[in-house]
Amino acid sequence: MTLTPLTLHDRIFGCLIGGACGDALGAPVEFLHIPEIRRVYGDRGITDFDTAYGVFGAITDDTQMTLFTVEGLIRAEVRFSLKGICHPPAVVHHAYQRWYATQQNGYDDNPELLDLDGWLIKERRLWSRRAPGNTCLSALKTNRSLSESAKNDSKGCGTVMRDAPFGFLPDVEQAFRFAVQTARTTHGHPSAAFSSGALALMINSLAKGCSLPDAVQAALVRLRGEDGAGEVVESVRKALDIAGQPDWRQRLPEVGRGWVAEEALAISVLCALAADTPEEALIAAVNHDGDSDSTGAIAGNLLGTLHGSAAFPTRWTERVELADVIAALSADFATMIEGRLDAESVWDRYPGH
């Protein structure tokens, strides 16, 4: 894989659309084992979009929550610009509570919509349940104090699957810290938080032009000093070891199945490093016995940041669900990261509260 010059917008859009493509590729097989996948799709497993939830190229809660992460970060910047004070993890937590509202009944049946502002929540296509994680749902239902840590010990992958956007914050320590803090609002186990932090570190390095191996190594170095990050470091190191072996596809089960955060991150890193092309990486990342849509999404986040959206087939990027919403959010997010956002003019779209 050869690095090419990319703009910040290229990398942001690549990250978000790549994540959505991996999510959509894995969605039809999320709850299937390899024998079942091969029985339906052939010896190579699933290699192209299919229908899930009655929609061709459907995204799941992974992409839904990632979009609300982006929206929350933009709203945090608007708030800081106009009010001079802001705690981004609290604003993103509030964004997740809006996502939670979309998971309750339907758009037309939900009177809470009257109290939910901004443009994203009014996108009717988001008001669909796509196998949302029980930990996220229960934590967002019970934990109404913004940025307060969840009272559970879950290390499910519902953190790392949604947190790639933090990596685009220019300050790498801020990106890491905010990702960790926001992960804790729904998942209490350190591995869930530090998997999000590790992904944010990798995305930050890639966005600044580093190679994927260097980005992964830099994240591991940063995690060494963090109490509770041991499982994440061990899983990613195992992925690095296997990525250099010719039988890496057959050895995916050694990394895990991706239901927990450190395994989802490690599987995604392994496939992104070892595959010959981004397309093959996403195919490998979804063809296993575990959480296929999440590992596909994270691999897509990494490779999209590295290579931009052009690295993925247009039959995916043009047909994935919500491609238009992803494009709009990517443009606004890039404008924000570049310091060109006019906070007053976007208040109605991204209210800073």
Side-chain angles (χ1 to χ4, degrees), residues 113-334:
L113 182 61
L114 299 175
D115 300 321
L116 298 171
D117 51 16
W119 73 277
L120 190 63
I121 192 69
K122 296 178 175 64
E123 171 51 64
R124 288 173 179 254
R125 289 170 292 173
L126 281 170
W127 288 68
S128 300
R129 284 179 72 98
R130 300 290 173 79
N134 288 330
T135 298
C136 285
L137 292 177
S138 61
L140 291 168
K141 179 179 180 179
T142 58
N143 184 11
R144 309 303 291 181
S145 298
L146 297 182
S147 79
E148 181 179 322
S149 295
K151 296 175 177 61
N152 62 50
D153 193 37
S154 173
K155 60 173 180 174
C157 69
T159 55
V160 66
M161 72 180 196
R162 72 192 188 209
D163 283 345
F166 285 101
F168 289 100
L169 298 177
D171 185 320
V172 64
E173 279 301 310
Q174 191 177 74
F176 174 74
R177 186 170 66 255
F178 287 169
V180 168
Q181 290 176 5
T182 307
R184 287 175 173 151
T185 63
T186 56
H187 291 67
H189 196 285
S191 292
F194 286 120
S195 293
S196 286
L199 179 61
L201 291 169
M202 294 175 197
I203 295 291
N204 191 272
S205 294
L206 294 173
K208 293 173 179 175
C210 290
S211 68
L212 182 56
D214 286 347
V216 174
Q217 290 291 353
L220 290 177
V221 169
R222 174 62 184 81
L223 286 178
R224 284 178 191 150
E226 296 291 339
D227 184 27
E231 286 184 334
V232 180
V233 172
E234 181 181 354
S235 291
V236 175
R237 281 180 175 163
K238 185 181 295 184
L240 286 173
D241 291 341
I242 296 173
Q245 304 302 316
D247 60 345
W248 63 270
R249 284 182 176 83
Q250 290 71 43
R251 296 181 63 184
L252 277 177
E254 295 179 32
V255 183
R257 297 195 297 168
W259 297 114
V260 296
E262 73 273 14
E263 291 179 2
L265 178 63
I267 290 170
S268 305
V269 167
L270 167 54
C271 294
L273 284 170
D276 292 330
T277 67
E279 180 179 352
E280 287 301 314
L282 265 58
I283 290 171
V286 304
N287 281 287
H288 58 83
D289 287 336
D291 196 351
S292 297
D293 61 321
S294 295
T295 50
I298 299 164
N301 292 148
L302 291 166
L303 290 167
T305 306
L306 179 62
H307 295 294
S309 63
F312 305 106
T314 56
R315 69 181 188 278
W316 291 355
T317 58
E318 293 178 357
R319 302 186 70 186
V320 69
E321 187 182 20
L322 295 180
D324 56 329
V325 173
I326 293 167
L329 272 173
S330 297
D332 290 343
F333 193 39

